[in-house]
Amino acid sequence: MSNPQQLRYSKEHEWLSPAEDGVATVGITEHAANALGDVVYVQLPEVGATVTAGGTCGELESTKSVSDLYSPVTGEVVEANQAVVDDPSLVNSSPFQDGWLFTVRVSQEPEDLLSADEYTEFAG
């Protein structure tokens, strides 16, 4: 498993891209996608919704289980990835590219986000 170095990671297995003009992209890690199994349903936060770091903001349902989606940062949702809603398997096949989940205008980023190396060690 290769976690992109430029991303930051939460202990809930979400990733966060570097913010461009204050907006960052959120997804789940390859580790989380593999643990979930085949994702068959994705519920994402609505555009304009406020998400809170560590707070539940959606849901991922797989053939194995249902898992809450947590926001790694606090901010306002700018865009939800409709392609993932239409084809949830993108979360499994391309978790760091096409399988991104939503973008958020970041108002607060917690200090406990992990680097790629720290996340790799954490996820084991």
Side-chain angles (χ1 to χ4, degrees):
M1 173 174 41
S2 166
N3 295 303
Q5 291 292 316
Q6 76 276 17
L7 303 178
R8 304 280 304 217
Y9 300 86
S10 74
K11 290 185 177 179
E12 287 79 27
H13 307 285
E14 281 81 24
W15 58 261
L16 178 74
S17 73
E20 292 183 28
D21 295 325
V23 177
T25 302
V26 174
I28 67 164
T29 65
E30 184 176 5
H31 172 83
N34 290 339
L36 275 171
D38 294 334
V39 177
V40 296
Y41 174 76
V42 176
Q43 177 194 4
L44 300 176
E46 292 185 19
V47 171
T50 299
V51 293
T52 304
T56 302
C57 63
E59 188 175 271
L60 301 171
E61 185 177 326
S62 73
T63 55
K64 292 182 183 179
S65 67
V66 176
S67 179
D68 286 332
L69 173 64
Y70 299 93
S71 179
V73 294
T74 298
E76 181 182 338
V77 176
V78 175
E79 182 181 6
N81 186 353
Q82 186 62 43
V84 167
V85 173
D86 294 341
D87 182 4
S89 71
L90 290 171
V91 172
N92 298 104
S93 64
S94 186
F96 294 114
Q97 288 86 34
D98 298 332
W100 63 275
L101 300 176
F102 64 95
T103 62
V104 59
R105 183 168 307 284
V106 179
S107 61
Q108 183 178 8
E109 183 175 321
E111 295 180 17
D112 64 349
L113 292 178
L114 306 172
S115 70
D117 293 338
E118 290 168 333
Y119 178 75
T120 299
E121 185 175 320
F122 168 78

